[in-house]
Every structure is written in C-alpha cells, then in structure tokens.
Amino acid sequence: MAGNGETSWCFSQIKGALDDDVTEADIISCVEFNHDGELLATGDKGGRVVIFQRDPSSKASTPRRGEYNVYSTFQSHEPEFDYLKSLEIEEKINKIRWLKRKNQSHFLLSTNDKTIKLWKVSERDKRVEGYNTREDNGSMRDPASINSLRVPSIKPMDLMVEASPRRIFANAHTYHINSISVNSDQETYLSADDLRINLWNLEVTDHSFNIVDIKPANMEELTEVITAAEFHPTECNVFVYSSSKGTIRLCDMRTSALCDRHAKLFEEPEDVDITNKSFFREIISSISDVKLSNSGRYMISRDYLSIKVWDLRMETKPIETYPVHEYLRTKLCSLYENDCIFDKFECCWNGNDSAIMTGSYNNFFRIFDRNTNKDVTLEASRDIIKPKTVLKPRKVCTGGKRKKDEISVDCLAFNKRILHTAWHPLENIIAVAATNNLFIFQDKF
C-alpha cells in the first residue's frame, strides 16, 4: 500500500443529506472500518449507528473502486437522565470498535458518555413456515383446532439485517467515557474516562476491574486528565493512555493489578526557550488521540497543532513530528475565545504504517507519507462530488499576497472541521466525516 507521496486521491462517494439545514443529531461523531474493511460504521450525535457494506461489484471491478452501500441502521443509545445527580446523559456515540469476525455475524461495541453496548449484526434470508402450535404471523393457534401434525419447512425470504444488543455494560464510570479499545485476545476490552480506566470481560456485564486511577484524594490537586487509551495490537498485556499534559504512558498489566505505575513514559522534552511558554502552551500540548501502529512498533499522538510519531523503544522524544496547521499558532487567542482550541482531532494509520492522516479546519484533512516525507492538504468539499474527480491539494497562505489556488488563513471556516477519519486496513480508501456528511475517497489508479 502506498502512502500519499505516490498517490493521487479522487472522490468516490458522499453519504448524508446535502442540504444546509443540518440538525445537531445528524452530526457524525465517530467513523470506524472493521478489520477487513468490508464494513464501515459511523455513529452520530443522535445515538444512531449506520453501517455501510462494500459494494461487491466495486471490489471486483478493474480498477477496484471503494464504494459502500447502507447495510444496517439502528438506534444504539437514547438520551437518559441521572436523577441522583440531576444530570442529562447525551445519546451521542463517542466511539465504535469492531470485534474480529468469528462466525457469520458481526459484533461491535458502541459507547456514549456512560454506557457501552455490544451489538450483534446478523443477516436473515430464510424463514420457518408450518408451525404446529402457532400461525406463520406468530399468533398462537387454538389447541382444539389442531387435528394434524405438520412438519415445519424453511422458505427463502428477502434479506433482512438485524442488529440486536447482546450485552450492556453500565454504571462503571463517574466521568464521561472517551475511549474504548478491544484487546487482541478478543475476550476483554478497556474503557477510559477522564480519571479512570476499566478492564471488562465481554461476557461479564455486572463488574469490571479498575486498572488505572489517577483521581487525587483532593480534587483541587487535580493536574491532568486521561484523554485517550488503547490496547497494543498484538500484546494483550500492554496498553497506552495519553493525558492533557501531553504525556503518554505505556502500562503492563503483568506488573500489578492496578497499573498506577507506568512501564514507559513518552514525553517531549520541555522547550527551554521562555518566549515559547505562552498561556496556551498547556492547552495545545494536550493529546487528543493516540493510536498504536498495526505492527505494534510505533504510535502516533495528535495534539492541537501537530501529529507526532513515537517509537515504543524510545521514550525521550518523538522520531517524527508533522505540523498540521502551524499557521494557527498566531490565532490561538481568537481560537480560545470561540472554544475551537478545545477541539479534539483524531488521527489514524494506513494499513502498512507508511502514512498517517488527521483533520483540520475548513473541512481540510492532511495525509503525511512517512517514506517520502511528503504531505498533502485535501478538502472534503461538495464541489467535487463527481465520481473519480481528482482532489486538488489545498494551500493556506499567511502573508499578504495570495496565490490563485491558496486560501488565506483569515478566510478559514472554523465551524467546518474534520475531527473523525478512518483508513481502510488493506487498501487506499479513506473515510472522512464532515459535519453530517461522510466522504469516501480512494487512490486514483
């Protein structure tokens, strides 16, 4: 799989209404491919999960196309009210994580701020007819009217995709859940909130193990919160979590039941230049997302202005640092006033760890090729929604003179932001969530 150095990206599909009257409930809040890329799930602020399935004909065509059709839509979470704390609990889906497929059905975890659910998504294309004790519509028959024995038969029917909740994991988090991650053993998973990380068994819903607790005895002494957590892709005893102080801790569950002491601490050396120590330094150094590479050797972390690549064998500094939107450094004051500085951008790897992707403002997203050190800024725009339209690289200018294809930093739309992106695990197909629309792009052969 190539990174973007050799890749031209073109438009494939757009999902979602194209009108400008967007309701809050329709805004996409997470995007996730399953392990073979055949399914793509999105969650929204209205608590809905929409699953798209790869179109078989697009996969078989030459060249292969990345086209997806709606496979299943279901309401995952409803708004709730915590009467003890007089607190409204939003239905918004914070994260979706797929389990590896073991049989005909698919399983995924979805979570809002407080409750995690395990969903089974299965197909049904046959029905049983000819019951003895009930009619085909399900109503019970009068036993007195049964005077012969029937042998039920299986008949074909139109394909129906059913989503049913198999487990509900609730009441384990005092604070809002920001991460869930399935372990490589496919039997356990972790869930993280601001101050604690819990370990669950997928079969047990009534209790979990608290494996990280950074809550101080006196909350006035609180200096940092957990922002993201993820299991190692192959070593089931290792996980990482990031903090609002810009640090990443790697923990080994073999050391102790409570991983309050980390095995490794990844932290960039502090800048000794006093001129760089601005009021916003701590805010922009907070890590909004951390993702381990598919090989398990590296990880990426996203802070407000940059994305960093870390080698798990080297804690002292990142091996690569890519500026995402350095031109915003002079705008931090206004970004603080309109709360944009607290936006939580996610990041993702491509299938062979050679490229990384993350979002920005003005519906821009950025792809960095680690092999060639080339990077590109692309836009998820409705102006390019003709199939196979090649995306033109975008540039932001900060000076007075602006070239023809450039956009001034003062003209960026900060209400249009790409927070959630996903990369197909095997091919150059990417999914980008822009407000209520899901854009799918692929490489142009």
Side-chain angles (χ1 to χ4, degrees):
M1 179 189 292
N4 78 284
E6 303 81 24
T7 305
S8 291
W9 293 92
C10 67
F11 172 80
S12 179
Q13 281 178 302
I14 183 171
K15 303 290 184 183
L18 288 175
D19 54 53
D20 291 317
D21 189 21
V22 180
T23 64
E24 186 78 6
D26 293 330
I27 295 173
I28 296 172
S29 53
C30 56
V31 184
E32 190 79 8
F33 279 103
N34 74 338
H35 291 85
D36 59 9
E38 290 300 298
L39 298 178
L40 171 62
T42 64
D44 64 25
K45 289 191 174 182
R48 293 180 298 263
V49 172
V50 181
I51 300 174
F52 301 93
Q53 185 180 46
R54 180 89 178 264
D55 187 316
S57 62
S58 79
K59 197 171 145 190
S61 68
T62 306
R64 288 157 76 100
R65 302 191 312 276
E67 292 175 7
Y68 287 75
N69 302 318
V70 174
Y71 181 62
S72 176
T73 303
F74 57 93
Q75 189 72 31
S76 175
H77 287 70
E78 300 280 358
E80 298 172 53
F81 191 80
D82 186 334
Y83 291 97
L84 289 174
K85 296 178 182 172
S86 295
L87 194 69
E88 286 186 10
I89 300 168
E90 285 185 334
E91 65 271 39
K92 172 193 165 195
I93 309 294
N94 291 343
K95 286 284 184 288
I96 289 173
R97 291 289 179 263
W98 291 92
L99 276 68
K100 285 185 179 170
R101 196 174 184 185
K102 292 180 179 175
N103 53 35
Q104 290 296 309
S105 301
H106 298 274
F107 289 86
L108 61 87
L109 289 167
S110 64
T111 184
N112 67 349
D113 286 340
K114 297 289 182 185
T115 305
I116 306 155
K117 295 184 181 182
L118 174 66
W119 291 89
K120 177 184 179 182
V121 181
S122 53
E123 295 182 355
R124 205 160 53 132
D125 60 357
K126 295 180 179 64
R127 68 175 187 272
V128 179
E129 289 182 356
Y131 286 104
N132 289 290
T133 56
R134 67 173 190 259
E135 302 291 349
D136 290 336
N137 63 7
S139 60
M140 297 303 293
R141 296 174 70 189
D142 180 6
S145 68
I146 302 173
N147 48 31
S148 63
L149 185 66
R150 295 196 292 180
V151 178
S153 59
I154 297 173
K155 297 285 178 67
M157 60 177 275
D158 291 338
L159 179 67
M160 200 163 87
V161 181
E162 295 176 313
S164 53
R166 306 299 288 179
R167 306 270 187 280
I168 296 176
F169 308 89
N171 306 321
H173 284 277
T174 309
Y175 307 96
H176 293 173
I177 298 171
N178 57 46
S179 303
I180 50 174
S181 177
V182 181
N183 201 346
S184 58
D185 62 14
Q186 295 291 302
E187 292 177 6
T188 55
Y189 74 93
L190 64 77
S191 59
D193 65 24
D194 289 348
L195 298 179
R196 295 190 180 101
I197 300 175
N198 292 333
L199 178 69
W200 300 83
N201 187 301
L202 283 159
E203 300 295 328
V204 181
T205 60
D206 56 355
H207 66 264
S208 60
F209 297 98
N210 180 224
I211 53 174
V212 172
D213 189 346
I214 65 167
K215 184 179 180 181
N218 180 2
M219 282 294 275
E220 289 179 4
E221 296 170 4
L222 182 69
T223 58
E224 64 180 331
V225 294
I226 297 166
T227 55
E230 190 180 52
F231 265 121
H232 191 279
T234 55
E235 296 176 29
C236 62
N237 50 286
V238 173
F239 67 93
V240 297
Y241 69 91
S242 58
S243 86
S244 57
K245 271 194 163 178
T247 61
I248 305 165
R249 291 173 175 86
L250 182 142
C251 300
D252 190 334
M253 292 190 290
R254 295 172 299 186
T255 310
S256 64
L258 183 65
C259 299
D260 50 357
R261 290 187 181 174
H262 49 266
K264 290 187 176 185
L265 176 71
F266 300 86
E267 186 174 22
E268 193 154 30
E270 197 166 328
D271 196 338
V272 291
D273 185 358
I274 197 75
T275 57
N276 283 336
K277 293 190 176 182
S278 70
F279 166 73
F280 305 109
R281 187 175 61 86
E282 199 165 300
I283 301 173
I284 63 173
S285 65
S286 173
I287 294 172
S288 57
D289 195 19
V290 60
K291 292 275 171 59
L292 285 148
S293 66
N294 299 289
S295 67
R297 169 76 187 269
Y298 306 100
M299 65 181 170
I300 46 175
S301 64
R302 173 69 208 266
D303 57 42
Y304 190 67
L305 293 178
S306 65
I307 188 167
K308 298 180 174 78
V309 181
W310 302 81
D311 188 327
L312 292 192
R313 300 175 191 177
M314 189 170 84
E315 301 165 63
T316 50
K317 62 179 181 179
I319 56 169
E320 298 157 31
T321 300
Y322 301 100
V324 177
H325 39 218
E326 186 63 27
Y327 46 79
L328 295 182
R329 194 177 286 276
T330 57
K331 303 280 180 188
L332 294 179
C333 233
S334 56
L335 290 164
Y336 179 76
E337 287 168 6
N338 63 17
D339 281 348
C340 284
I341 202 168
F342 302 107
D343 286 334
K344 292 177 169 50
F345 292 96
E346 295 175 7
C347 52
C348 63
W349 293 91
N350 72 340
N352 63 7
D353 303 338
S354 64
I356 52 181
M357 173 170 60
T358 190
S360 181
Y361 294 104
N362 208 72
N363 279 357
F364 288 170
F365 60 97
R366 308 215 54 202
I367 298 175
F368 302 92
D369 190 308
R370 299 181 57 222
N371 293 333
T372 62
N373 282 329
K374 290 182 180 176
D375 62 84
V376 66
T377 302
L378 302 170
E379 183 181 5
S381 166
R382 295 183 191 175
D383 299 336
I384 48 102
I385 56 175
K386 282 184 181 175
K388 299 183 182 176
T389 304
V390 177
L391 304 190
K392 288 181 181 175
R394 303 303 308 267
K395 281 197 171 67
V396 179
C397 79
T398 51
K401 282 190 175 182
R402 183 168 63 88
K403 292 179 185 172
K404 184 185 173 189
D405 294 331
E406 290 182 338
I407 181 170
S408 168
V409 68
D410 298 317
C411 298
L412 295 174
F414 291 104
N415 61 331
K416 294 180 177 178
R417 51 180 82 93
I418 303 287
L419 300 177
H420 316 288
T421 59
W423 202 312
H424 190 290
L426 305 171
E427 297 179 44
N428 273 334
I429 298 169
I430 55 179
V432 172
T435 319
N436 66 317
N437 295 132
L438 179 71
F439 286 83
I440 298 173
F441 303 107
Q442 66 175 79
D443 56 358
K444 183 171 177 61
F445 287 93

